[in-house]
Amino acid sequence: MKVSDRFPTHAKDPAFGPTIWVTRTSPDNEKTAGALRRLGFDALAVPVLRVEGLPEKALDEQPDAIVFTSVNGVRHHSICPALLDIPAFAVGDRTAESAAHAGYTHVVSAAGDVLDLERLIVQSLPRGNRLLHFSAHLPAGDLTGNLRRKGYLATRKPVYETRDVAVAKLLASLPAPHEINGILIHSPRAGNVVNRCLERTSRPFGGIIYCISDAAAAPFEGKQGMDIRVAARPDEASMLALIGSPYRNTGAAASVSVTAR
């Protein structure tokens, strides 16, 4: 399959404002792109990562609580009806909503990042509880290990893995860097892939990189002349608020009225 068959080629619509590259995984990238288009942006939904489900083994014993650190953990795990009524802890509101839609009846959101989730679990459950974390094959942190060190019987069950999209394929499907005004980064791993893409281009990227968290911004540290901005909270609503609207500004991404962190 050719790259052009997999990713849409860029055709600028004059009715839209600045061009924003949405790098998050499918199918969530289209939701973000749709929100940007409603704000008047020209959104490119070209993911830099792809998610694949993993085969699961049967549970050895029933946990006291379930832990989700992403929507993908909810999306790719096998739902066991016997677990739907036990407490489910989610890293953020969107993950919590996904868990509720999957059938979990007692879902609590940390409304933040993994550290917020860890604090919420420690505040909510006594030590010694059995926790089951549905995770990525290679998680970004060590939530399960941290919970074990705090006295919980925590187990991590990988249910999906994330793979990088090849840089060459991404570059073939995107416009030139100077034609992109902003890039949305939803994770540190996505930031690493985007950073490699920008290093391979002949002309420097002069727009703004909008990051959902400090961790997502870390791959770009030390890059001279690069405008990096971090959302006030690690959620998409804060990212969209950070970007603003092209009709409230001058039409160029570099002039968006926000305070860089």
Side-chain angles (χ1 to χ4, degrees):
M1 180 180 290
K2 297 184 297 182
V3 171
S4 58
D5 294 330
R6 187 175 302 172
F7 296 115
T9 55
H10 177 69
K12 178 70 173 178
D13 185 339
F16 285 85
T19 298
I20 306 293
W21 176 15
V22 181
T23 66
R24 72 184 310 190
T25 55
S26 177
D28 301 308
N29 59 342
E30 285 295 348
K31 296 178 182 178
T32 303
L36 286 168
R37 289 168 188 143
R38 288 190 291 274
L39 289 172
F41 290 98
D42 178 25
L44 300 173
V46 180
V48 300
L49 305 170
R50 67 178 188 274
V51 177
E52 300 174 358
L54 296 173
E56 291 185 56
K57 297 180 180 179
L59 298 177
D60 295 328
E61 55 190 343
Q62 181 164 321
D64 299 306
I66 298 292
V67 180
F68 293 113
T69 47
S70 73
V71 171
N72 284 316
V74 180
R75 185 177 289 146
H76 291 281
H77 84 293
S78 296
I79 296 175
C80 176
L83 302 183
L84 294 178
D85 290 330
I86 68 173
F89 293 86
V91 67
D93 294 344
R94 195 167 164 277
T95 302
E97 291 171 5
S98 181
H101 290 155
Y104 289 92
T105 59
H106 302 289
V107 183
V108 183
S109 170
D113 57 19
V114 175
L115 291 177
D116 295 316
L117 177 59
E118 183 180 326
R119 283 192 288 267
L120 174 64
I121 292 171
V122 171
Q123 293 167 2
S124 304
L125 297 176
R127 271 72 170 175
N129 268 217
R130 297 184 181 277
L131 308 178
L132 178 59
H133 175 202
F134 289 111
S135 76
H137 176 60
L138 296 174
D142 188 21
L143 174 63
T144 302
N146 290 342
L147 290 170
R148 283 177 182 165
R149 286 186 282 273
K150 291 183 177 181
Y152 294 91
L153 303 176
T155 301
R156 187 172 66 85
K157 189 177 180 64
V159 295
Y160 70 95
E161 65 179 339
T162 305
R163 297 180 180 273
D164 298 356
V165 176
V167 169
K169 293 180 180 179
L170 291 170
L171 293 178
S173 64
L174 290 165
H178 67 278
E179 296 178 12
I180 299 174
N181 305 102
I183 305 175
L184 264 62
I185 306 295
H186 285 74
S187 70
R189 186 163 179 178
N192 282 321
V193 177
V194 170
N195 188 41
R196 293 200 300 271
C197 284
L198 298 181
E199 288 176 344
R200 288 271 299 273
T201 59
S202 58
R203 294 183 61 174
F205 172 67
I208 301 173
I209 296 181
Y210 301 97
C211 301
I212 199 168
S213 65
D214 289 324
F220 306 99
E221 289 181 0
K223 298 292 183 180
Q224 294 295 324
M226 192 169 287
D227 191 347
I228 312 298
R229 307 190 187 187
V230 181
R233 292 186 57 79
D235 56 50
E236 183 149 302
S238 296
M239 292 184 79
L240 295 179
L242 183 66
I243 297 171
S245 167
Y247 300 118
R248 294 201 301 269
N249 301 297
T250 65
S255 64
V256 176
S257 300
V258 297
T259 301
R261 289 176 54 182

